Coordinates of all heavy atoms in Angstrom, one line a residue:
Y23 N 59.6 -23.4 28.6 CA 59.7 -23.9 27.4 C 58.4 -24.4 26.9 O 57.6 -25.0 27.5 CB 60.6 -25.1 27.3 CG 60.7 -25.9 26.1 CD1 61.6 -25.3 25.1 CD2 60.1 -27.0 25.9 CE1 61.6 -26.1 23.9 CE2 60.2 -27.7 24.7 CZ 61.0 -27.2 23.6 OH 61.0 -27.8 22.5
L24 N 58.0 -24.0 25.6 CA 56.7 -24.3 25.0 C 57.1 -25.1 23.6 O 58.1 -24.7 23.0 CB 55.9 -23.2 24.7 CG 55.3 -22.3 25.8 CD1 54.6 -21.1 25.2 CD2 54.3 -23.2 26.6
E25 N 56.2 -26.1 23.5 CA 56.5 -27.0 22.3 C 56.1 -25.9 21.0 O 55.3 -25.1 21.1 CB 55.5 -28.2 22.3 CG 55.8 -29.2 23.3 CD 57.1 -29.9 22.9 OE1 57.5 -30.2 21.7 OE2 57.8 -30.3 23.8
P26 N 56.7 -26.2 19.9 CA 56.5 -25.4 18.8 C 55.0 -25.4 18.3 O 54.4 -24.4 17.9 CB 57.3 -26.1 17.7 CG 58.4 -26.7 18.4 CD 57.8 -27.2 19.6
E27 N 54.3 -26.5 18.5 CA 52.9 -26.6 18.2 C 52.0 -25.7 19.1 O 51.0 -25.1 18.6 CB 52.4 -28.0 18.3 CG 53.1 -29.0 17.4 CD 54.3 -29.6 17.8 OE1 54.8 -29.3 18.8 OE2 54.9 -30.3 17.1
I28 N 52.4 -25.6 20.3 CA 51.7 -24.6 21.2 C 51.9 -23.2 20.8 O 51.0 -22.3 20.8 CB 52.3 -24.9 22.7 CG1 51.8 -26.3 23.2 CG2 51.4 -23.9 23.6 CD1 50.3 -26.6 23.1
I29 N 53.2 -22.9 20.5 CA 53.6 -21.5 19.9 C 52.7 -21.1 18.8 O 52.1 -20.0 18.7 CB 55.0 -21.3 19.8 CG1 55.7 -21.5 21.1 CG2 55.3 -20.0 19.1 CD1 57.3 -21.5 21.0
T30 N 52.7 -22.0 17.9 CA 51.8 -21.9 16.5 C 50.3 -21.6 17.0 O 49.6 -20.7 16.4 CB 52.0 -23.1 15.6 OG1 53.4 -23.2 15.3 CG2 51.2 -22.8 14.4
L31 N 49.8 -22.5 17.9 CA 48.5 -22.3 18.2 C 48.1 -20.9 18.9 O 47.2 -20.2 18.5 CB 48.1 -23.5 19.2 CG 46.7 -23.4 19.8 CD1 45.7 -24.4 19.1 CD2 46.7 -23.6 21.3
L32 N 49.1 -20.5 19.8 CA 48.8 -19.3 20.4 C 49.0 -18.1 19.5 O 48.3 -16.9 19.5 CB 49.8 -19.1 21.6 CG 49.4 -20.0 22.7 CD1 50.6 -19.9 23.8 CD2 48.1 -19.7 23.4
E33 N 49.9 -18.2 18.4 CA 50.1 -17.1 17.4 C 49.0 -16.9 16.6 O 48.7 -15.9 16.1 CB 51.3 -17.4 16.7 CG 52.7 -17.2 17.5 CD 54.0 -17.6 16.7 OE1 53.8 -18.4 15.7 OE2 55.0 -17.2 17.0
R34 N 48.2 -18.0 16.4 CA 47.0 -18.1 15.4 C 45.9 -17.3 16.0 O 44.8 -17.1 15.4 CB 46.7 -19.3 15.0 CG 47.4 -19.8 13.8 CD 46.9 -21.1 13.2 NE 47.7 -22.2 13.5 CZ 47.2 -23.4 14.0 NH1 46.1 -23.6 13.9 NH2 48.1 -24.3 14.3
R35 N 45.8 -17.3 17.4 CA 44.7 -16.6 18.1 C 44.5 -15.2 17.8 O 45.4 -14.5 17.6 CB 44.8 -16.7 19.6 CG 44.5 -18.0 20.2 CD 44.5 -18.0 21.8 NE 43.9 -16.9 22.3 CZ 42.6 -16.7 22.6 NH1 41.7 -17.7 22.2 NH2 42.1 -15.7 23.2
V36 N 43.1 -14.8 17.6 CA 42.9 -13.5 17.3 C 42.9 -12.7 18.6 O 42.5 -13.2 19.6 CB 41.3 -13.4 16.7 CG1 41.0 -11.9 16.6 CG2 41.3 -14.1 15.4
P37 N 43.5 -11.5 18.7 CA 43.4 -10.7 20.0 C 42.1 -10.6 20.6 O 41.2 -10.4 19.9 CB 44.2 -9.4 19.6 CG 44.8 -9.7 18.3 CD 44.1 -10.7 17.6
G38 N 42.0 -10.9 21.8 CA 40.8 -10.7 22.5 C 40.8 -9.7 23.6 O 41.7 -8.8 23.7
R39 N 39.8 -9.7 24.4 CA 39.6 -8.6 25.5 C 40.4 -9.3 26.8 O 40.5 -10.6 26.8 CB 38.2 -8.4 25.8 CG 37.4 -7.7 24.7 CD 36.0 -7.5 25.0 NE 35.4 -8.7 25.6 CZ 34.6 -9.6 24.9 NH1 34.6 -9.5 23.7 NH2 34.1 -10.6 25.6
T40 N 40.7 -8.4 27.6 CA 41.3 -8.8 28.9 C 40.3 -9.8 29.6 O 39.1 -9.5 29.6 CB 41.6 -7.6 29.8 OG1 42.6 -6.8 29.2 CG2 42.0 -8.1 31.2
G41 N 40.7 -10.9 30.0 CA 39.8 -11.9 30.7 C 39.3 -12.9 29.8 O 38.6 -13.9 30.2
D42 N 39.6 -12.8 28.5 CA 39.0 -13.8 27.5 C 39.8 -15.2 27.8 O 40.9 -15.1 28.1 CB 39.2 -13.4 26.0 CG 38.3 -12.3 25.6 OD1 37.1 -12.2 26.3 OD2 38.4 -11.9 24.5
F43 N 39.2 -16.3 27.5 CA 39.8 -17.4 27.8 C 40.6 -17.8 26.6 O 40.3 -17.5 25.4 CB 38.7 -18.6 27.9 CG 37.9 -18.4 29.2 CD1 36.6 -17.9 29.0 CD2 38.4 -18.8 30.4 CE1 35.9 -17.6 30.2 CE2 37.6 -18.5 31.6 CZ 36.3 -17.9 31.4
V44 N 41.8 -18.6 26.8 CA 42.7 -18.9 25.8 C 42.2 -20.2 25.2 O 42.2 -20.4 24.0 CB 44.2 -19.1 26.4 CG1 45.1 -19.6 25.3 CG2 44.7 -17.8 26.9
F45 N 41.9 -21.3 25.9 CA 41.4 -22.5 25.4 C 39.8 -22.7 25.6 O 39.5 -22.7 26.7 CB 42.3 -23.6 26.1 CG 43.7 -23.5 26.0 CD1 44.6 -23.1 27.0 CD2 44.3 -23.7 24.6 CE1 45.9 -23.0 26.8 CE2 45.7 -23.7 24.4 CZ 46.4 -23.2 25.5
T46 N 39.3 -22.8 24.4 CA 37.7 -22.9 24.5 C 37.4 -24.1 23.5 O 38.1 -24.7 22.9 CB 37.2 -21.5 23.8 OG1 37.6 -21.3 22.5 CG2 37.6 -20.5 24.8
K47 N 36.1 -24.3 23.5 CA 35.5 -25.2 22.5 C 35.6 -24.6 21.1 O 35.9 -23.5 21.0 CB 34.1 -25.4 22.9 CG 33.8 -26.2 24.2 CD 32.4 -26.3 24.3 CE 32.1 -26.9 25.7 NZ 30.6 -27.1 25.9
K48 N 35.5 -25.4 20.1 CA 35.5 -24.9 18.8 C 34.6 -23.8 18.5 O 34.9 -22.9 17.7 CB 35.1 -26.1 17.7 CG 36.3 -27.0 17.6 CD 35.9 -28.2 16.6 CE 37.0 -29.2 16.6 NZ 36.9 -30.2 15.6
D49 N 33.4 -23.7 19.1 CA 32.5 -22.5 18.9 C 32.8 -21.4 19.8 O 32.1 -20.4 19.8 CB 31.1 -23.0 19.2 CG 30.9 -23.4 20.7 OD1 31.7 -23.4 21.5 OD2 29.7 -23.8 21.0
G50 N 34.0 -21.4 20.5 CA 34.4 -20.3 21.4 C 33.8 -20.3 22.8 O 34.2 -19.4 23.5
S51 N 33.0 -21.1 23.0 CA 32.4 -21.2 24.5 C 33.4 -21.8 25.4 O 34.3 -22.5 25.0 CB 31.0 -21.9 24.4 OG 31.3 -23.3 24.1
L52 N 33.2 -21.5 26.7 CA 34.0 -22.0 27.8 C 34.0 -23.5 28.0 O 32.9 -24.2 27.9 CB 33.5 -21.3 29.0 CG 34.1 -21.7 30.4 CD1 35.6 -21.3 30.3 CD2 33.4 -21.0 31.5
L53 N 35.1 -24.0 28.2 CA 35.2 -25.4 28.6 C 34.8 -25.6 30.1 O 35.4 -24.9 30.9 CB 36.6 -26.0 28.4 CG 37.1 -26.3 27.1 CD1 38.7 -26.6 27.0 CD2 36.5 -27.5 26.5
K54 N 33.7 -26.2 30.3 CA 33.1 -26.4 31.7 C 33.7 -27.6 32.3 O 33.6 -27.7 33.5 CB 31.6 -26.3 31.7 CG 31.1 -25.0 31.3 CD 29.6 -24.9 31.5 CE 29.3 -23.5 31.0 NZ 27.8 -23.2 31.2
E55 N 34.2 -28.5 31.6 CA 34.8 -29.7 32.3 C 36.0 -30.2 31.2 O 35.9 -29.8 30.1 CB 33.8 -30.8 32.4 CG 33.0 -31.2 31.2 CD 32.0 -32.1 31.7 OE1 31.1 -31.9 32.5 OE2 32.0 -33.2 31.1
P56 N 36.9 -30.9 31.8 CA 38.0 -31.3 30.9 C 37.6 -32.2 29.8 O 36.7 -32.9 30.0 CB 39.0 -32.1 31.9 CG 38.5 -31.8 33.3 CD 37.0 -31.3 33.1
P57 N 38.4 -32.1 28.7 CA 38.0 -33.1 27.6 C 38.2 -34.5 28.0 O 39.2 -34.8 28.8 CB 39.1 -32.6 26.5 CG 39.7 -31.3 26.9 CD 39.5 -31.2 28.5
K58 N 37.3 -35.3 27.6 CA 37.5 -36.7 27.9 C 38.9 -37.4 27.5 O 39.3 -38.3 28.0 CB 36.3 -37.5 27.3 CG 35.0 -37.3 27.9 CD 33.9 -37.9 27.3 CE 32.5 -37.5 27.9 NZ 31.4 -38.1 27.2
S59 N 39.3 -36.8 26.4 CA 40.6 -37.4 25.8 C 41.7 -37.1 27.0 O 42.7 -37.9 26.9 CB 40.9 -36.6 24.7 OG 41.1 -35.2 24.8
F60 N 41.6 -36.1 27.8 CA 42.6 -35.8 28.8 C 42.7 -37.1 29.8 O 43.7 -37.6 30.1 CB 42.4 -34.6 29.6 CG 43.4 -34.3 30.7 CD1 44.7 -33.9 30.4 CD2 43.0 -34.6 31.9 CE1 45.7 -33.8 31.4 CE2 44.1 -34.5 33.0 CZ 45.2 -34.0 32.7
K61 N 41.4 -37.4 30.3 CA 41.3 -38.5 31.2 C 41.7 -39.8 30.7 O 42.4 -40.7 31.3 CB 40.0 -38.6 31.8 CG 39.7 -39.7 32.9 CD 38.3 -39.8 33.5 CE 38.2 -40.8 34.7 NZ 39.0 -41.9 34.6
T62 N 41.4 -40.0 29.5 CA 41.8 -41.2 28.7 C 43.2 -41.3 28.5 O 43.8 -42.4 28.9 CB 41.1 -41.3 27.3 OG1 39.7 -41.3 27.4 CG2 41.5 -42.5 26.5
A63 N 43.8 -40.3 28.3 CA 45.4 -40.3 28.2 C 46.1 -40.6 29.6 O 47.0 -41.4 29.6 CB 46.0 -39.0 27.6
V64 N 45.6 -39.9 30.6 CA 46.2 -40.1 32.0 C 46.0 -41.6 32.3 O 46.9 -42.1 32.8 CB 45.5 -39.1 33.1 CG1 45.8 -39.5 34.3 CG2 46.0 -37.7 32.6
D65 N 44.7 -42.1 32.1 CA 44.5 -43.5 32.4 C 45.4 -44.5 31.7 O 46.0 -45.4 32.2 CB 43.0 -43.8 32.3 CG 42.1 -43.2 33.2 OD1 42.6 -42.6 34.4 OD2 40.9 -43.1 33.0
K66 N 45.5 -44.3 30.3 CA 46.3 -45.2 29.5 C 47.7 -45.1 29.9 O 48.4 -46.0 29.8 CB 46.0 -44.9 28.1 CG 44.7 -45.4 27.6 CD 44.6 -45.3 26.1 CE 43.2 -45.9 25.6 NZ 43.2 -45.9 24.1
L67 N 48.2 -44.0 30.3 CA 49.6 -43.8 30.5 C 49.9 -44.2 32.0 O 51.1 -44.3 32.4 CB 50.1 -42.3 30.4 CG 50.1 -42.0 28.9 CD1 50.3 -40.4 28.7 CD2 51.1 -42.8 28.2
G68 N 48.8 -44.4 32.8 CA 49.1 -44.9 34.2 C 49.6 -43.8 35.1 O 50.1 -44.1 36.1
F69 N 49.3 -42.6 34.8 CA 49.9 -41.5 35.6 C 49.4 -41.5 37.0 O 50.0 -41.0 38.0 CB 49.6 -40.1 35.0 CG 50.5 -39.8 33.7 CD1 50.1 -38.9 32.8 CD2 51.7 -40.5 33.4 CE1 50.8 -38.5 31.7 CE2 52.5 -40.1 32.4 CZ 52.1 -39.2 31.6
N70 N 48.2 -41.9 37.2 CA 47.6 -41.9 38.6 C 47.6 -43.3 39.3 O 47.1 -43.4 40.4 CB 46.2 -41.4 38.5 CG 46.2 -39.8 38.3 OD1 47.0 -39.1 38.7 ND2 45.1 -39.5 37.6
K71 N 48.3 -44.2 38.8 CA 48.5 -45.5 39.4 C 49.2 -45.4 40.7 O 50.3 -44.9 40.7 CB 49.1 -46.5 38.4 CG 49.1 -48.0 38.9 CD 49.6 -49.0 37.9 CE 49.6 -50.2 38.7 NZ 50.5 -51.2 38.0
D72 N 48.6 -45.9 41.7 CA 49.2 -45.9 43.1 C 49.4 -44.7 43.6 O 50.3 -44.3 44.5 CB 50.6 -46.7 43.0 CG 50.4 -48.1 42.5 OD1 49.3 -48.7 42.8 OD2 51.2 -48.7 41.9
R73 N 48.8 -43.5 43.1 CA 48.9 -42.2 43.8 C 47.7 -41.9 44.8 O 46.7 -42.3 44.5 CB 48.9 -41.1 42.7 CG 50.2 -41.2 41.8 CD 50.0 -39.9 40.6 NE 51.1 -39.8 39.9 CZ 52.0 -38.8 40.0 NH1 51.9 -37.9 40.9 NH2 53.1 -38.8 39.2
G74 N 48.0 -41.2 45.8 CA 47.0 -40.7 46.7 C 46.1 -39.6 46.1 O 46.6 -39.0 44.9
S75 N 45.0 -39.3 46.5 CA 44.1 -38.3 46.0 C 44.8 -37.0 45.9 O 44.3 -36.2 44.9 CB 42.9 -38.3 47.0 OG 43.1 -37.8 48.2
R76 N 45.7 -36.7 46.7 CA 46.3 -35.2 46.6 C 47.4 -35.2 45.6 O 47.9 -34.2 45.3 CB 46.8 -34.9 48.0 CG 45.8 -34.7 49.1 CD 46.2 -34.0 50.3 NE 46.4 -32.7 50.0 CZ 47.0 -31.7 50.7 NH1 47.3 -32.2 52.0 NH2 47.2 -30.6 50.4
D77 N 47.8 -36.4 45.2 CA 49.0 -36.5 44.3 C 48.4 -36.9 42.7 O 49.4 -37.1 41.9 CB 50.1 -37.5 44.7 CG 50.7 -37.1 46.0 OD1 51.0 -35.8 46.1 OD2 51.0 -37.9 46.8
R78 N 47.2 -36.9 42.5 CA 46.8 -37.4 41.3 C 46.9 -36.2 40.3 O 46.8 -35.1 40.5 CB 45.3 -37.8 41.4 CG 45.1 -39.0 42.4 CD 43.6 -39.5 42.3 NE 43.1 -39.9 41.2 CZ 43.4 -41.3 40.8 NH1 44.2 -42.0 41.4 NH2 42.9 -41.7 39.6
I79 N 47.1 -36.7 39.0 CA 47.2 -35.8 37.9 C 45.8 -35.4 37.5 O 45.1 -36.3 37.1 CB 48.0 -36.3 36.7 CG1 49.5 -36.7 37.1 CG2 48.0 -35.4 35.5 CD1 50.3 -35.6 37.5
T80 N 45.5 -34.1 37.4 CA 44.1 -33.7 37.1 C 44.3 -32.6 35.9 O 45.4 -32.2 35.6 CB 43.4 -33.1 38.2 OG1 44.1 -31.9 38.5 CG2 43.2 -34.1 39.4
F81 N 43.3 -32.2 35.3 CA 43.4 -31.3 34.2 C 43.9 -29.9 34.9 O 44.6 -29.2 34.2 CB 41.9 -31.1 33.6 CG 42.0 -30.2 32.3 CD1 42.5 -30.8 31.2 CD2 41.4 -29.0 32.3 CE1 42.6 -30.1 30.1 CE2 41.3 -28.3 31.0 CZ 42.0 -28.8 29.9
H82 N 43.5 -29.6 36.1 CA 44.0 -28.5 36.7 C 45.5 -28.6 36.9 O 46.2 -27.4 37.1 CB 43.3 -28.3 38.1 CG 43.5 -27.0 38.8 ND1 43.0 -25.7 38.4 CD2 44.3 -26.7 39.8 CE1 43.4 -24.8 39.1 NE2 44.2 -25.3 40.1
S83 N 46.1 -29.7 37.1 CA 47.5 -29.8 37.1 C 48.3 -29.0 36.1 O 49.5 -28.5 36.3 CB 48.1 -31.3 37.1 OG 47.4 -32.1 38.1
L84 N 47.6 -29.0 34.8 CA 48.2 -28.3 33.7 C 48.4 -26.8 34.0 O 49.4 -26.2 33.6 CB 47.4 -28.5 32.4 CG 47.2 -29.9 31.9 CD1 46.3 -30.0 30.8 CD2 48.5 -30.6 31.7
R85 N 47.6 -26.5 34.7 CA 47.5 -24.8 35.1 C 48.8 -24.7 36.0 O 49.5 -23.8 35.8 CB 46.3 -24.3 35.8 CG 46.4 -22.9 36.2 CD 45.2 -22.6 36.9 NE 45.2 -21.2 37.3 CZ 44.2 -20.6 37.9 NH1 43.1 -21.2 38.3 NH2 44.4 -19.3 38.3
H86 N 49.0 -25.5 36.9 CA 50.1 -25.4 37.8 C 51.4 -25.6 37.1 O 52.4 -24.8 37.3 CB 50.1 -26.3 39.0 CG 49.0 -26.1 39.9 ND1 49.1 -25.2 40.8 CD2 47.7 -26.6 40.0 CE1 48.0 -25.1 41.6 NE2 47.1 -26.0 41.1
T87 N 51.5 -26.4 36.2 CA 52.8 -26.8 35.4 C 53.0 -25.5 34.4 O 54.1 -25.2 34.4 CB 52.5 -28.0 34.4 OG1 52.2 -29.1 35.4 CG2 53.7 -28.4 33.6
A88 N 52.1 -24.9 33.9 CA 52.3 -23.9 33.0 C 52.8 -22.6 33.8 O 53.5 -21.8 33.4 CB 50.9 -23.5 32.3
A89 N 52.1 -22.5 35.0 CA 52.5 -21.4 35.9 C 54.0 -21.4 36.4 O 54.7 -20.4 36.6 CB 51.6 -21.2 37.0
T90 N 54.3 -22.7 36.5 CA 55.7 -22.9 36.9 C 56.8 -22.6 35.9 O 57.8 -22.0 36.0 CB 55.9 -24.3 37.4 OG1 55.0 -24.7 38.5 CG2 57.3 -24.7 38.0

């Protein structure tokens, strides 16, 4: 299941080459580290409170969630 906003975002993308990145900076360059807003949101929501290092929510967790 995808939120309607995500579907709209993906539909607006211009077709690219195989291997092109889906989510990039505004200038089209590769995101080399997660946006600060992600960490801020995780911290404010307390998602990692009382979690061990292997159970913490990270930006990479989104990849696993999407693949599932």
Side-chain angles (χ1 to χ4, degrees):
Y23 175 79
L24 293 175
E25 293 289 330
E27 293 84 4
I28 299 297
I29 293 171
T30 301
L31 175 102
L32 292 172
E33 287 174 341
R34 276 194 257 137
R35 279 191 41 84
V36 177
R39 298 179 311 267
T40 299
D42 282 352
F43 296 102
V44 175
F45 301 106
T46 59
K47 295 179 185 178
K48 288 182 180 182
D49 66 3
S51 64
L52 172 64
L53 283 170
K54 294 189 179 181
E55 55 187 58
K58 290 179 183 177
S59 57
F60 178 80
K61 183 176 181 338
T62 300
V64 169
D65 291 345
K66 284 188 176 185
L67 293 168
F69 286 160
N70 287 330
K71 185 178 182 195
D72 301 323
R73 288 181 178 252
S75 61
R76 296 192 71 186
D77 294 326
R78 296 180 69 76
I79 301 296
T80 65
F81 195 66
H82 189 73
S83 301
L84 300 176
R85 179 178 179 184
H86 291 278
T87 302
T90 301

